[in-house]
Amino acid sequence: MNIKALLKSLLLRKFTTGLLILQLSITLGLLINSVILALDTNNKLAQETGLDIENTLIISLRPTSGEYRNLDYYRSIVSEDLHQLSKLSGVEGVSLMNQLPINKNGMLGNFYDLDDPEIIRKDKYLRDVKFFISNENLGNTLALALLEGRFLTKDDQLDFGRNEPGNVVITNSLKKALYGDDSALGQETNNGRIVGVVKDIMLDPTIPVDKQYGVFDNRAMEFIFTGRFYLLRVTPGQVEAVRNKVSDTILAVQAERDIYRIITIAEHMKRFYSHDKGLAQLFLLLCGLMIFVTAISSYAYSQFHISRQKKYIGIRRALGARKKDILLYVLTENWLVYSIGCTLGLVMALGFNILLSQYISLSKPDIMLFILASVVIFVAGTIATLIPAIKTSNIPPVIATRTV
Amino acid sequence: MPSNSMFVYNLTLAMQSFRRAPTLYFLIILTLSIGVGVLCANLALVNSMASDPIPEKSANLFHINMNTWPDDQPPDEPMHILRYRDAMAIAESKLTKGSAIFYASGVYARDAESSSMKRFDSEVRATTPGFFELTNAPFAFGSAFEKSRGMEIVIGDELNKKIFAGKNSVGKTLELDGELLTIVGVLKPWVLRPLFYHPTEGRAFNLTDDIFAPLETAIDLGWSIHARSSSAVNYTGIEETRDKDVYYLQAWVELADMNQKSALQSYLDNYSQQLKDAGEHPLAIKNELHNVNEWLKVNKVVDQKVLAFTLASVLFLSVCIFNASSLLLPRFHAAKFEVGLRRAIGASNRHMLVQGLTESVLLGLFTGVVALVLSWLFLKLSVQFLPRLTNLAVLEPKLLVLGMLLALVTSIASSLYPLYRANYYTISAELK
Amino acid sequence: MLNMNNISRIYQSDTIQTHALRDFSLKVNEGEFVAVTGPSGSGKSTFLNVAGLLDNFDRGQYELDGVSVQGLKDDELSRLRNEKIGFIFQNYNLIPDYSIFDNVDMPLRYRGFSASERKRRVEQALEKVGLASRLKYLPSQLSGGQQQRVAIARALAGEPKILLADEPTGNLDSLMARQVMEILHDLNKDGATIIMVTHDPDQAREVNRNVQVIDGQLADFKIYAPLDRTAENKGKTVSAAVSADVAEEMADA
């Protein structure tokens, strides 16, 4: 294979070769970044949450009638709801809460130890601690892992209207932020006394892993109008069966409710990232189209230049080149162009990555990805130009002698 | 009329050219129109997000941010939500052409006179009556309520269609959360892209509200806050918030000119200074007025992800142009003999160029038509992937025009080099 | 060396069947210089194409250097072409983008020689035709005669058993034609087997064997007086015949 000669002949058709190289490099650049986007999204979805995401159901509901303004009425309905739900076969735990984990923002507030109120100046995340208004069953329903102390009990539910904070349970990262390695049990905070510390669960994926500050109390019944979400812990395998019965069960208790979503935590997480995922999919779609278009170009390029070289192919055959020598010659010519295109494509990929990073968050490309993407380009291009290449190898040597 | 018949002749030649290599031209039209279609769809989305929804007034409407948080740990500096006393100070200033103080809520609505218990989930804007004048809200029937109190409401066209089948429902009663309120006005279909009066909290692409209720009534009825609120104190219900440091109201004013703007600015700064003097304003005085477009910009209403994708589709279009160019080259190359022949029998360079351009313009027209269809398809597809954009996926007429233009430009651009190469060869060389 | 027996080459179009070669038989021995003449369209080019394994034949047997050609697959035919035949075309058929060196080197690439071996052979072949100083030149920078000499060098580089020339001087003026023919004669003197198709009766007169092709068939007869032929170099390959008589060429030949 006379590579130098091949390169020289490429130089003689600068325009068409240049166009193809540009297309190849842009395609590679976009392909790499689209794959990065897709991988990033998958990584986000695969993060450890600390929750049983497949087997925990979230029911989002709101009462529709004005009767629920009567809080005692509201409470009685909710109690009956929870009771009926716990009786469903497959349901192992029932609770309710004001907001969900795996969410940006929500019900947030200041949280600090009464002996050190200034700490919120040093750690801004302590001003946005997630407050979960729930009941004593939350620990069981979410399978929260206890690290210190205990979870909340029925006794932790204070009389309504008492305006003093009760007992609370906090997440581990909150404990570390306030107390370091010391115990948090019995400490008095601006929102109650700490009776337990649980292992972190994913509260907000957009903030650092060690800042998942959350506090749980047993005041859902008191502030019943905040209880927008019911949670069900379900036996593995029974999720669909339970999901189908939830609506009827709740509406049977009292029909004036709008149950607008019944999903697992896994589905909730997917919803959280659906915009990211949608974008990644759109990018991949665009890539597919681009590869298609570039393959057409490669075909046209190959076809055009081969048709002008018929005579010379014939000469090679006359001098003793076999069909597979010609095939290799044509393919090598294409591969040479692809190589140049892919090398330039690396530069493009880095450039696009920087450009796109202005708008979205994107990991940096790595060598493995570049190699894989180049392989895709090579394979796609070779498939596109295979038929013209084979046709070319079939050019008979007698063409060399024709003068027309 | 020689130029006319020349034009028709060129058109005929172009059509012949297409017929001679149908697969090739099909491929060219396909790839160019995909490229133009995708870009057009993205530009439609960006256009929806970046457009001025109220151009006749956007320079005169101002959103107000203040920095009156009572301690030195504010959630934001300044804040876009105000407490009751601050908002009322703005409303009562009499320095504006009009003002609107509101918050967003939600209730379930039911036709009070109907036997059906069906309730409709409705977006509520609890507002002072100045809102309607300020936003040029279009009325189909009736008019706005006149005071911030009272049991009168205005409803939107969507809800009117759902409950009353679109008829004139002025005078009818709705049961909202157990209370009865009377409809005094029904709006026409009202599309705001983006929803300039409430672009925060990701609501920039929501539809306009279903129910507009008097502000004080909503507060008294305890209709909860459905958007951002921050509080320095504990409270149980919104009824308590008039005299507490609970921040949830937004304020918009209409100002006639720059004089009014500076007058209002001084007034606000004065107000804050008074609070400061009383020891109630620990933070720096930062009262900001943003007009509609400024406010949209500050809130980064244009979805960055869509922008990123638009960028990618520009790259895609360039690949499509390069592709079309490399497909056209062999075509014009093959036509070299004909070109040489025509030149030999007297066609000038200019004639040949015009012939070539006619072909590419015709190509551009076909491409444009296909591109617009693909553009519409791709918009529908994008919404599948990015449902948040549902209300934005519209092809306005100006985008149809843009699409056509793009198709023509790209078609001509792709033909430039091949045309140049085709006409470059000497006559004799080709005829040999 | 070359033994064709009842070769027929038939071209089939939709309606017409043309017999380009019809029961064509020819035997060529080593060291012969054969001129093939005949009217236009007689089939002499077809004969050369078949002899050079560029074209297939439909009937008959063909034996080249002891190898029976019919039934061989394309790969094997290509190898034979590469190793045993040196073809010289009327319009030189050099690759215009390649240098002289690369042009002569081309058939060697398909032989699998190492780079140093190829270099040696190319330089040696170009020496023989007197163009060793023009290695880097492009064909467009040489005259017609020089280009044809490069083509001859290309044909020699692989040390073939037989040279086939299709009107080698057809595109050259008389001076250049003279030079090219001298090279061919010198090669033949050193033992090369050459078959040359020509229109020029003077050229035909100068070689020791003449055949005529008429209507696809062979008429083998000597109508001209033969030249002397030395028998010493019989059996050697063509390029082994050293040609020291080819002078380093003049500037504008």
Side-chain angles (χ1 to χ4, degrees):
Chain A
M1 259 311 109
N2 198 345
I3 299 290
K4 267 202 291 195
L6 269 178
L7 271 172
K8 265 210 320 184
S9 58
L10 282 183
L11 272 172
L12 286 167
R13 16 170 156 137
K14 283 189 279 269
F15 183 76
T16 47
T17 310
L19 275 187
L20 185 60
I21 289 177
L22 263 177
Q23 286 179 67
L24 286 165
S25 59
I26 293 177
T27 305
L28 188 79
L30 193 73
L31 182 60
I32 289 181
N33 283 296
S34 303
V35 174
I36 290 178
L37 207 57
L39 287 176
D40 276 357
T41 310
N42 278 346
N43 286 341
K44 283 187 199 153
L45 282 170
Q47 286 170 97
E48 189 51 59
T49 60
L51 297 162
D52 186 358
I53 59 176
E54 296 294 342
N55 299 311
T56 314
L57 276 175
I58 301 169
I59 306 162
S60 309
L61 77 169
R62 286 203 300 258
T64 60
S65 130
E67 305 266 303
Y68 284 79
R69 295 231 145 238
N70 179 335
L71 294 187
D72 288 321
Y73 173 74
Y74 198 158
R75 288 175 187 126
S76 66
I77 300 292
V78 169
S79 303
E80 185 61 19
D81 282 341
L82 299 178
H83 176 64
Q84 291 297 333
L85 285 170
S86 66
K87 280 185 3 191
L88 288 176
S89 98
V91 172
E92 294 174 9
V94 184
S95 184
L96 79 167
M97 55 202 303
N98 59 329
Q99 60 180 334
L100 296 173
I102 312 177
N103 225 345
K104 230 170 115 73
N105 304 320
M107 228 178 263
L108 313 171
N110 291 349
F111 192 86
Y112 50 84
D113 187 289
L114 287 177
D115 293 332
D116 184 16
E118 294 301 300
I119 195 172
I120 61 174
R121 288 177 195 283
K122 296 184 218 146
D123 182 351
K124 62 173 182 165
Y125 294 98
L126 287 172
R127 288 186 248 154
D128 290 328
V129 173
K130 288 210 177 191
F131 280 73
F132 292 98
I133 303 173
S134 184
N135 70 7
E136 62 274 7
N137 292 323
L138 189 69
N140 167 44
T141 309
L142 282 186
L144 298 174
L146 266 179
L147 293 175
E148 262 197 275
R150 60 171 180 82
F151 200 72
L152 303 162
T153 63
K154 199 130 181 69
D155 298 323
D156 291 321
Q157 190 181 315
L158 300 169
D159 299 330
F160 302 160
R162 265 176 75 173
N163 226 345
E164 47 180 89
N167 292 333
V168 294
V169 171
I170 63 173
T171 59
N172 197 28
S173 46
L174 182 54
K175 178 209 90 110
K176 285 219 187 90
L178 294 178
Y179 305 108
D181 292 325
D182 297 335
S183 166
L185 294 186
Q187 298 286 10
E188 299 280 351
T189 68
N190 65 328
N191 275 292
R193 174 195 283 132
I194 300 172
V195 296
V197 176
V198 290
K199 197 156 167 243
D200 272 358
I201 57 176
M202 179 190 280
L203 298 179
D204 183 345
T206 65
I207 64 178
V209 175
D210 56 341
K211 303 286 180 193
Q212 304 293 315
Y213 300 161
V215 54
F216 304 90
D217 68 22
N218 190 347
R219 306 185 81 171
M221 274 302 152
E222 181 177 351
F223 302 113
I224 191 70
F225 44 85
T226 64
R228 292 166 43 203
F229 303 101
Y230 292 170
L231 292 147
L232 298 181
R233 176 154 155 217
V234 182
T235 317
Q238 304 257 37
V239 170
E240 286 314 306
V242 170
R243 194 204 298 252
N244 292 334
K245 294 199 213 114
V246 159
S247 198
D248 293 336
T249 310
I250 295 176
L251 294 177
V253 171
Q254 209 281 323
E256 288 168 303
R257 256 83 74 78
D258 183 12
I259 304 170
Y260 53 92
R261 209 173 285 135
I262 307 170
I263 53 178
T264 63
I265 294 186
E267 286 156 6
H268 167 68
M269 197 167 167
K270 283 207 191 90
R271 280 189 84 233
F272 184 74
Y273 285 120
S274 65
H275 208 60
D276 289 27
K277 185 148 193 208
L279 188 73
Q281 285 170 331
L282 275 176
F283 262 86
L284 283 174
L285 179 69
L286 198 66
C287 266
L289 286 174
M290 230 193 234
I291 292 177
F292 172 67
V293 171
T294 305
I296 293 179
S297 267
S298 188
Y299 173 87
Y301 172 85
S302 197
Q303 194 68 316
F304 179 55
H305 290 296
I306 291 305
S307 66
R308 299 177 74 196
Q309 284 194 68
K310 257 182 130 160
K311 184 111 196 261
Y312 305 115
I313 303 281
I315 293 171
R316 286 173 184 272
R317 291 277 275 137
L319 296 177
R322 296 162 301 173
K323 282 187 184 170
K324 49 171 97 93
D325 292 319
I326 300 294
L327 186 64
L328 194 64
Y329 170 68
V330 175
L331 288 178
T332 306
E333 200 176 61
N334 285 334
W335 291 337
L336 197 58
V337 177
Y338 299 160
S339 303
I340 302 174
C342 285
T343 311
L344 190 61
L346 182 61
V347 174
M348 291 277 189
L350 290 169
F352 293 166
N353 192 280
I354 296 175
L355 196 60
L356 288 173
S357 299
Q358 316 270 13
Y359 300 100
I360 51 185
S361 66
L362 203 58
S363 304
K364 299 261 155 281
D366 69 63
I367 283 293
M368 221 28 241
L369 212 51
F370 169 68
I371 294 175
L372 274 166
S374 301
V375 167
V376 170
I377 299 276
F378 266 74
V379 168
T382 306
I383 292 177
T385 54
L386 202 58
I387 305 231
I390 291 178
K391 278 213 272 211
T392 307
S393 71
N394 285 334
I395 290 177
V398 77
I399 293 242
T401 59
R402 299 220 180 111
T403 46
V404 191
Chain B
M1 292 180 274
S3 59
N4 250 356
S5 55
M6 200 59 209
F7 176 63
V8 172
Y9 181 56
N10 277 336
L11 272 181
T12 325
L13 286 179
M15 286 307 296
Q16 268 177 12
S17 182
F18 294 165
R19 262 194 287 268
R20 261 183 250 157
T23 324
L24 180 84
Y25 282 103
F26 169 71
L27 272 178
I28 294 174
I29 292 179
L30 183 70
T31 53
L32 272 183
S33 57
I34 294 179
V36 172
V38 168
L39 182 60
C40 211
N42 279 308
L43 289 176
L45 289 170
V46 173
N47 173 59
S48 288
M49 291 190 277
S51 50
D52 182 340
I54 187 166
E56 62 272 21
K57 272 192 178 184
S58 53
N60 294 35
L61 299 178
F62 292 84
H63 181 274
I64 299 176
N65 289 357
M66 297 180 80
N67 208 15
T68 62
W69 187 262
D71 65 47
D72 56 357
Q73 302 278 322
D76 283 314
E77 270 191 87
M79 291 173 65
H80 72 277
I81 37 184
L82 311 169
R83 11 165 227 211
Y84 186 84
R85 58 192 273 209
D86 300 333
M88 287 307 130
I90 295 171
E92 287 152 17
S93 75
K94 300 209 192 338
L95 291 173
T96 66
K97 221 172 129 192
S99 70
I101 312 288
F102 57 67
Y103 74 96
S105 185
V107 292
Y108 285 89
R110 187 181 80 86
D111 181 354
E113 289 145 37
S114 156
S115 50
S116 152
M117 292 303 281
K118 184 159 168 115
R119 290 204 170 83
F120 297 88
D121 188 10
S122 312
E123 297 285 328
V124 172
R125 185 124 328 243
T127 176
T128 55
F131 174 86
F132 301 97
E133 172 76 34
L134 190 138
T135 58
N136 280 354
F139 279 85
F141 311 112
S143 60
F145 43 84
E146 284 166 26
K147 302 213 228 357
S148 290
R149 293 180 189 278
M151 302 298 268
E152 297 165 330
I153 55 173
V154 170
I155 65 171
D157 176 73
E158 285 287 316
L159 189 65
N160 193 38
K161 283 205 183 86
K162 277 187 216 165
I163 303 185
F164 299 109
K167 300 206 196 65
N168 184 345
S169 50
V170 172
K172 295 226 185 280
T173 322
L174 285 182
E175 184 227 299
L176 304 175
D177 212 31
E179 298 286 340
L180 298 172
L181 290 100
T182 316
I183 299 173
V184 297
V186 179
L187 296 178
K188 289 193 190 139
W190 192 24
V191 171
L192 286 176
R193 282 190 206 104
L195 194 74
F196 75 88
Y197 59 75
H198 197 150
T200 51
E201 296 101 43
R203 286 167 168 255
F205 308 123
N206 285 10
L207 302 170
T208 49
D209 304 282
D210 297 309
I211 299 177
F212 301 83
L215 179 66
E216 308 293 343
T217 308
I219 295 177
D220 288 332
L221 291 177
W223 289 358
S224 55
I225 306 157
H226 278 207
R228 177 91 189 273
S229 69
S230 294
S231 178
V233 295
N234 287 330
Y235 68 98
T236 351
I238 192 175
E239 322 81 84
E240 305 167 27
T241 63
R242 285 193 180 88
D243 53 1
K244 292 209 165 92
D245 292 329
V246 183
Y247 290 72
Y248 64 101
L249 292 167
Q250 297 199 49
W252 281 88
V253 294
E254 184 177 348
L255 300 172
D257 49 39
M258 293 311 285
N259 290 336
Q260 270 205 334
K261 185 173 180 218
S262 26
L264 185 64
Q265 183 79 53
S266 309
Y267 173 83
L268 292 171
D269 293 339
N270 233 343
Y271 169 85
S272 301
Q273 186 60 50
Q274 281 174 3
L275 287 178
K276 226 187 209 314
D277 296 337
E280 293 173 2
H281 194 302
L283 300 167
I285 298 178
K286 256 195 219 167
N287 300 321
E288 290 174 6
L289 276 74
H290 295 108
N291 68 26
V292 169
N293 289 315
E294 288 165 356
W295 187 232
L296 292 176
K297 199 150 172 236
V298 162
N299 282 292
K300 292 214 180 86
V301 156
V302 179
D303 188 326
Q304 299 293 293
K305 294 193 167 76
V306 175
L307 272 182
F309 193 66
T310 309
L311 208 72
S313 50
V314 169
L315 291 169
F316 179 58
L317 184 61
S318 55
V319 166
C320 291
I321 295 177
F322 296 152
N323 176 59
S325 214
S326 56
L327 283 173
L328 281 172
L329 188 64
R331 179 85 196 99
F332 282 114
H333 191 87
K336 263 185 349 208
F337 174 75
E338 196 194 308
V339 171
L341 186 62
R342 285 179 185 276
R343 296 267 277 124
I345 60 175
S348 75
N349 244 343
R350 203 179 67 83
H351 277 135
M352 299 315 301
L353 198 65
V354 169
Q355 182 188 333
L357 277 177
T358 312
E359 191 177 304
S360 60
V361 166
L362 194 60
L363 195 68
L365 286 173
F366 286 140
T367 304
V369 169
V370 180
L372 289 176
V373 172
L374 286 178
S375 178
W376 180 83
L377 271 172
F378 192 74
L379 264 183
K380 293 279 163 266
L381 190 68
S382 314
V383 166
Q384 295 298 316
F385 288 108
L386 298 173
R388 250 185 251 175
L389 304 176
T390 314
N391 296 337
L392 295 175
V394 279
L395 272 177
E396 284 176 23
K398 69 169 157 184
L399 280 156
L400 295 175
V401 172
L402 182 67
M404 252 346 230
L405 271 173
L406 262 177
L408 281 168
V409 167
T410 53
S411 177
I412 294 176
S414 334
S415 317
L416 282 176
Y417 183 76
L419 260 178
Y420 162 72
R421 279 284 288 272
N423 288 322
Y424 180 67
Y425 291 92
T426 57
I427 304 171
S428 56
E430 290 324 305
L431 287 180
K432 212 184 322 188
Chain C
M1 171 63 50
L2 180 151
N3 193 352
M4 282 192 183
N5 204 1
N6 291 108
I7 298 288
S8 287
R9 177 73 175 105
I10 304 170
Y11 289 114
Q12 188 89 34
S13 78
D14 281 343
T15 45
I16 303 173
Q17 208 182 54
T18 318
H19 287 253
L21 289 180
R22 188 203 300 266
D23 275 336
F24 189 97
S25 298
L26 174 68
K27 231 171 117 83
V28 174
N29 295 319
E30 276 195 64
E32 289 194 289
F33 192 157
V34 186
V36 179
T37 57
S40 273
S42 56
K44 46 186 201 296
S45 287
T46 310
F47 152 70
L48 208 65
N49 287 347
V50 172
L53 302 177
L54 296 182
D55 203 358
N56 300 322
F57 51 92
D58 304 292
R59 277 202 282 274
Q61 300 87 40
Y62 176 13
E63 210 182 78
L64 175 66
D65 195 29
V67 178
S68 202
V69 159
Q70 60 268 17
L72 284 186
K73 293 207 207 56
D74 180 272
D75 276 8
E76 292 155 339
L77 286 175
S78 299
R79 202 171 53 81
L80 265 186
R81 257 199 317 275
N82 187 265
E83 289 172 10
K84 302 213 186 265
I85 300 175
F87 219 106
I88 301 162
F89 303 92
Q90 179 179 359
N91 43 16
Y92 337 129
N93 276 352
L94 298 179
I95 309 277
D97 311 334
Y98 282 21
S99 68
I100 301 301
F101 184 96
D102 284 329
N103 264 295
V104 178
D105 171 69
M106 208 160 63
L108 303 177
R109 292 258 179 183
Y110 299 117
R111 282 277 268 272
F113 289 140
S114 69
S116 51
E117 175 68 16
R118 281 188 279 113
K119 189 161 182 285
R120 186 187 69 77
R121 283 171 176 256
V122 168
E123 285 172 352
Q124 200 175 59
L126 283 172
E127 277 271 359
K128 261 181 239 135
V129 301
L131 285 172
S133 59
R134 314 250 166 156
L135 281 180
K136 299 282 184 208
Y137 279 53
L138 292 176
S140 52
Q141 296 171 302
L142 301 179
S143 70
Q146 290 167 317
Q147 287 184 55
Q148 192 61 296
R149 279 151 64 187
V150 173
I152 296 174
R154 180 179 64 187
L156 290 178
E159 294 176 358
K161 294 279 189 175
I162 185 168
L163 280 177
L164 301 177
D166 190 355
E167 312 241 15
T169 59
N171 289 3
L172 304 175
D173 66 37
S174 49
L175 183 58
M176 293 192 231
R178 202 51 271 138
Q179 277 200 326
V180 166
M181 284 314 297
E182 269 197 33
I183 295 177
L184 289 180
H185 278 291
D186 286 332
L187 291 172
N188 177 247
K189 231 183 293 192
D190 297 321
T193 314
I194 307 179
I195 302 179
M196 177 180 76
V197 164
T198 179
H199 262 133
D200 186 344
D202 294 323
Q203 280 183 359
R205 222 189 307 264
E206 287 171 1
V207 308
N208 56 26
R209 181 168 171 204
N210 276 238
V211 300
Q212 255 211 339
V213 180
I214 301 177
D215 285 341
Q217 286 189 310
L218 183 73
D220 184 3
F221 54 91
K222 295 177 195 177
I223 56 166
Y224 306 110
L227 292 175
D228 281 346
R229 201 194 76 188
T230 57
E232 289 140 25
N233 294 328
K234 225 170 160 177
K236 288 197 200 139
T237 56
V238 173
S239 60
V242 174
S243 179
D245 296 323
V246 179
E248 197 58 36
E249 54 113 34
M250 296 183 289
D252 296 316

